[in-house]
């Protein structure tokens, strides 16, 4: 007798739920993306890539029974799959197992499920001061403390830890990572209030307070002027106080006494993404720093900034000079500065973005006139080649040639692109299976492009540094670098639109609209065509023009 279809399905689900499941953690055909921990009752998205047309996705309880099962179609265009499910409110906390694949060819990922109690946990698990003992002794349920320090203690830092890793914390309004020290908090003689606010994942907050009493000059001995110092780029200074704050050894900010009548909360940030700030061929001799404070008014006394700069960035008769960035006009404004060795010092009355730039002879002249190669005279890209070389995007060969029609490899284009964008990041660790084949001259550029999300590699885990880059690949990388808004299923309007890979169609259409790429005489984009050095520098210059707009 035949069983009804519903009965067959029910029987199959019971078998899946009762039979213990074992699987290998790796698969050549399936790859699962990592997932974040969730709480009971929350949803999770399971995603990955696979060479199968569809994959079986299961979530297995800690008890080894199945809590979720479905068959998911794989996107033929990019080999990705994705599905979401919500863990029932009656499930237990623990480590669940996500399994995706077919038969024994599967991939697995752990899914950590936490109890719901942690959602509203705004407790601290630890609290200490750099100087002074808390009274009473710390306990998570106690929120008010006091401490006393000698007169010669002009500042303290707070180190606190949250009980729940999902909670966040501020100290006197400045975000501080759990387990890390806050910036220096200046102390006046007498009482000083410190507030630590913990915010749980569900928005619940809890405030811990510490009242620190600093003794008068005769109380503990040792008086004199107090200078509050910090080396992590964060400083809290009482009204009228004196302080020095640095970020590593690259920049130091010195605040004189009575520079402001307000409590000062100061932060220094080193900017890693700078291409939008360098639109007029500026030459950085230092990193770009953004210095912020908690009030808009200017200082009543000059504040001194000291930068460390790189003399190797200066060419010919160029000299270093401190500039600030005018946020309204979008231009760098020169301040000047006094140079001592590789340090330059300047006084300012406000905070914004600052950097040391190279100035001097050659800044306003046509440096492209000095670019000479034996094989570019009369070439359609001659002017672009000279400009790109002058901008430091690309170099010629030692034999005096540029080889404009030579094809560009993927590694070479990564170097050109990063030379154009000038990112400050060090880059991500390279995990491609052929990373060893990436030349030392290109490793940092590829790592920077990976960190920026511009390069992802191929499905087989390779980068293929020596492969010629196609015009479609080049367009995709530039569109990603520009963060252009792409239209789904957009048509570029080339005669060979049908030949453009699905993954590159939107990028090509967007770049054509911006006049960064164009077709040949027959209005063909030739997406699989190889990119020449002349073509590469031309599109990169157009990219920079777009950034400067």
């Amino acid at each position: 007798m035949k069983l009804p279809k519903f009965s067959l399905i029910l029987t199959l689900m019971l078998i899946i739920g009762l039979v213990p499941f074992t699987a290998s953690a790796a698969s050549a055909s399936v790859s699962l993306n990592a997932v974040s921990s969730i709480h009971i009752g929350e949803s999770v998205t399971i995603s990955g890539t696979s060479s199968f047309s569809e994959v079986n996705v299961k979530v297995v309880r800690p008890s080894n029974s199945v809590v979720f099962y479905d068959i998911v179609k794989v996107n033929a265009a990019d080999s990705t799959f994705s599905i979401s499910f919500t863990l029932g409110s009656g499930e237990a906390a623990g480590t669940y197992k996500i399994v995706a694949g077919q038969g024994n060819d599967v991939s697995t990922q752990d899914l950590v499920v936490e109890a719901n109690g942690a959602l509203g946990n705004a407790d601290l698990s630890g609290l200490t001061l750099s100087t002074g003992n808390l009274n009473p002794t710390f306990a998570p349920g106690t929120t008010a403390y006091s401490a006393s320090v000698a007169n010669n203690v002009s500042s303290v830092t707070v180190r606190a830890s949250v009980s729940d890793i999902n909670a966040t914390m501020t100290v006197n309004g400045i975000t501080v990572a759990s387990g890390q020290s806050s910036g220096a908090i200046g102390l006046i003689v007498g009482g000083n209030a410190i507030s630590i606010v913990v915010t749980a994942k569900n928005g619940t907050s809890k405030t811990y307070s510490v009242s620190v009493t600093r003794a008068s000059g005769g109380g503990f001995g040792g008086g004199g002027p107090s200078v509050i110092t910090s080396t992590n780029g964060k400083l809290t200074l009482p009204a009228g106080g004196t302080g020095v704050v640095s970020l590593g050894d690259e920049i130091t900010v010195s605040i004189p006494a009575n520079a402001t009548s307000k409590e000062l909360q100061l932060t220094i940030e080193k900017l890693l993404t700078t291409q939008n700030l360098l639109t007029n061929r500026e030459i950085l001799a230092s990193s770009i720093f953004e210095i912020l404070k908690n009030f808009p008014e200017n200082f009543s006394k000059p504040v001194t900034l000291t930068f460390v700069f790189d003399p190797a960035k200066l060419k010919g008769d160029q000299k270093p000079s401190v500039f600030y960035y005018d946020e309204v006009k979008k231009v760098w404004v020169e301040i000047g500065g006094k140079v001592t060795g590789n340090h330059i010092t300047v006084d300012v009355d406000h905070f914004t973005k600052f950097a040391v730039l190279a100035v001097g002879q050659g800044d306003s002249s046509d440096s492209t006139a000095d670019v000479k190669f034996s094989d570019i005279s009369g070439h359609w890209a001659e002017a672009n080649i000279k400009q790109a070389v002058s901008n430091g995007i690309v170099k010629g060969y030692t034999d005096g040639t540029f080889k404009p029609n030579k094809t560009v490899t993927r590694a070479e284009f990564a170097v050109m692109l990063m030379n154009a964008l000038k990112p400050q990041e060090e880059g991500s660790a390279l995990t491609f299976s052929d990373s060893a084949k990436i030349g030392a001259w290109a490793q940092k550029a590829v790592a920077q492009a990976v960190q920026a999300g511009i390069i992802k590699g191929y499905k087989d885990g390779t980068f293929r540094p020596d492969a010629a880059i196609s015009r479609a690949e080049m367009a995709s990388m530039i569109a990603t670098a520009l963060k252009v808004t792409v239209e789904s299923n957009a048509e570029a309007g080339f005669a060979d639109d049908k030949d453009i890979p699905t993954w590159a169609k939107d990028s090509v259409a967007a770049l054509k609209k911006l006049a960064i790429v164009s077709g040949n005489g027959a209005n063909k984009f030739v997406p699989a065509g190889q990119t020449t050095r002349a073509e590469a520098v031309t599109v990169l210059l157009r990219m920079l023009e777009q950034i400067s707009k």
Side-chain angles (χ1 to χ4, degrees):
M1 181 180 70
K2 287 188 176 181
L3 287 173
K5 183 176 180 182
F6 174 77
S7 298
L8 285 171
I9 294 173
L10 181 60
T11 302
L12 176 61
M13 292 181 67
L14 287 171
I15 292 172
I16 291 171
L18 295 174
V19 176
F21 187 88
T22 58
S24 60
S27 165
S29 305
V30 186
S31 175
L32 275 170
N33 296 326
V35 293
S36 301
S37 62
I38 64 170
H39 289 85
I40 296 170
E42 291 185 333
S43 298
V44 63
T45 298
I46 302 169
S47 62
T49 58
S50 177
S51 58
F52 295 130
S53 60
E54 61 183 23
V55 292
N56 302 316
V57 177
K58 304 177 184 181
V59 180
V60 184
R61 296 184 179 92
S63 62
N64 216 27
S65 60
V66 176
V67 66
F68 174 80
Y69 173 81
D70 203 348
I71 300 174
V72 183
K73 294 289 186 182
V74 177
N75 189 326
D78 57 8
S79 301
T80 61
F81 64 89
S82 178
I83 189 171
S84 298
F85 94 101
T86 301
L87 189 68
S89 58
E91 296 295 335
T95 301
Y96 289 60
K97 185 78 70 177
I98 300 173
V99 186
Q102 291 186 12
N104 292 325
D105 194 353
V106 298
S107 181
T108 66
Q109 279 284 349
D110 285 341
L111 170 64
V112 177
V113 177
E114 300 176 354
N116 284 335
L119 283 171
N121 189 343
D123 287 342
L124 287 177
S125 60
L127 175 62
T128 59
L129 300 178
S130 58
T131 305
N133 297 318
L134 294 179
N135 182 31
T137 302
F138 174 77
T142 304
T143 58
Y145 299 89
S146 63
S148 297
V149 298
N151 173 262
N152 61 355
V153 178
S154 59
S155 67
V156 294
T157 61
V158 174
R159 184 188 293 269
S161 301
V162 297
S163 294
D164 176 25
I165 61 173
N166 296 296
T168 58
M169 173 179 60
T170 62
V171 177
N172 280 1
I174 298 177
T175 300
V176 178
S178 177
Q180 301 296 312
S181 294
S182 69
I185 300 171
L187 301 177
I188 61 173
V189 172
N192 300 266
I194 300 175
S195 176
I196 303 101
V197 179
V198 183
T199 303
K201 185 174 182 180
N202 68 353
T204 301
S205 64
K206 189 173 185 177
T207 301
Y208 292 78
S209 62
V210 182
S211 177
V212 181
T213 300
R214 178 184 174 191
S216 61
F220 288 87
S226 300
V227 179
I228 300 170
T229 61
S230 172
T231 58
N232 65 357
K234 298 179 181 179
L235 177 70
T236 299
L237 196 64
T242 304
V244 177
V245 56
S246 60
L247 186 61
D249 60 357
E250 295 184 83
I251 178 175
T252 301
V253 181
S254 300
I255 312 293
N258 300 315
T260 174
S261 60
K262 299 181 178 181
E263 179 185 73
L264 171 65
Q265 294 177 4
L266 182 157
T267 60
I268 306 172
E269 180 185 0
K270 179 179 177 179
L271 301 185
L272 299 179
T273 303
T274 62
Q275 59 263 34
N276 291 337
L277 301 173
L278 303 173
T279 59
N280 195 30
R281 297 173 56 194
E282 294 91 351
I283 300 174
L284 284 175
S286 75
S287 298
I288 299 177
F289 299 93
E290 183 166 28
I291 311 176
L292 301 174
K293 55 182 171 60
N294 58 319
F295 53 83
E297 296 84 6
N298 288 351
F299 292 103
S300 55
K301 286 186 176 181
V303 172
T304 302
L305 310 182
T306 301
F307 299 86
V308 175
F309 65 90
D310 183 2
K313 299 292 185 180
L314 308 176
K315 308 298 181 184
D317 294 328
Q318 289 181 331
K319 296 180 180 180
S321 186
V322 177
F323 285 69
Y324 76 85
Y325 189 71
D326 187 320
E327 300 284 358
V328 177
K329 297 180 180 179
K330 306 298 181 185
V331 296
W332 288 96
V333 179
E334 185 173 4
I335 305 173
K338 179 180 179 181
V339 178
T340 304
N342 66 334
H343 291 70
I344 183 169
T345 302
V346 68
D347 288 339
V348 300
D349 63 359
H350 71 289
F351 287 158
T352 180
K353 299 180 180 72
F354 295 91
V356 181
L357 302 180
V359 298
Q361 186 175 357
D363 281 0
S364 60
S365 63
D366 183 9
S367 58
T368 62
D370 297 328
V371 178
K372 296 179 181 179
F373 295 109
S374 61
D375 58 347
I376 65 171
S377 179
H379 193 279
W380 65 268
E382 180 180 0
N384 291 335
I385 292 169
K386 289 183 176 181
Q387 188 66 59
V389 172
S390 177
N391 287 2
I393 295 174
V394 67
K395 297 179 180 179
Y397 291 89
T398 55
D399 63 357
T401 64
F402 181 78
K403 298 180 173 54
N405 299 320
K406 183 178 181 294
T407 56
V408 178
T409 67
R410 287 168 53 80
E412 288 172 336
F413 188 73
V415 172
M416 291 182 189
L417 182 56
M418 292 302 102
N419 285 343
L421 295 175
K422 297 178 174 57
Q424 299 297 303
E425 299 92 336
E426 288 300 315
S428 300
L430 297 178
T431 58
F432 299 115
S433 60
D434 58 350
S435 291
K437 296 181 180 179
I438 302 174
W441 55 272
Q443 287 180 3
K444 182 175 181 179
V446 174
Q448 289 173 322
V450 169
Q451 185 174 358
I454 297 171
I455 288 176
K456 295 182 176 65
Y458 291 92
K459 295 178 184 178
D460 61 1
T462 62
F463 172 64
R464 305 177 195 175
D466 298 324
I469 190 168
S470 70
R471 288 167 57 81
E473 289 174 330
M474 177 183 66
S476 179
M477 290 173 66
I478 291 178
T480 303
L482 283 174
K483 296 181 174 62
V484 296
T485 301
V486 296
E487 301 175 10
S488 298
N489 302 316
E491 294 293 334
F494 290 114
D496 57 350
D497 268 5
K498 67 181 188 319
D499 297 328
I500 301 174
T502 303
W503 51 264
K505 277 184 178 292
D506 297 342
S507 296
V508 173
L511 294 191
K512 185 189 179 186
K513 189 174 182 180
L514 295 173
I516 293 176
V517 299
S518 58
N520 59 20
N523 191 34
K524 289 186 176 182
F525 179 67
V526 194
Q530 297 177 347
T531 303
T532 67
R533 284 166 59 82
E535 291 171 334
V537 298
T538 297
V539 297
L540 288 173
L541 289 175
R542 292 174 182 170
M543 176 194 74
L544 293 178
E545 289 177 6
Q546 187 63 34
I547 290 175
S548 66
K549 291 181 180 179

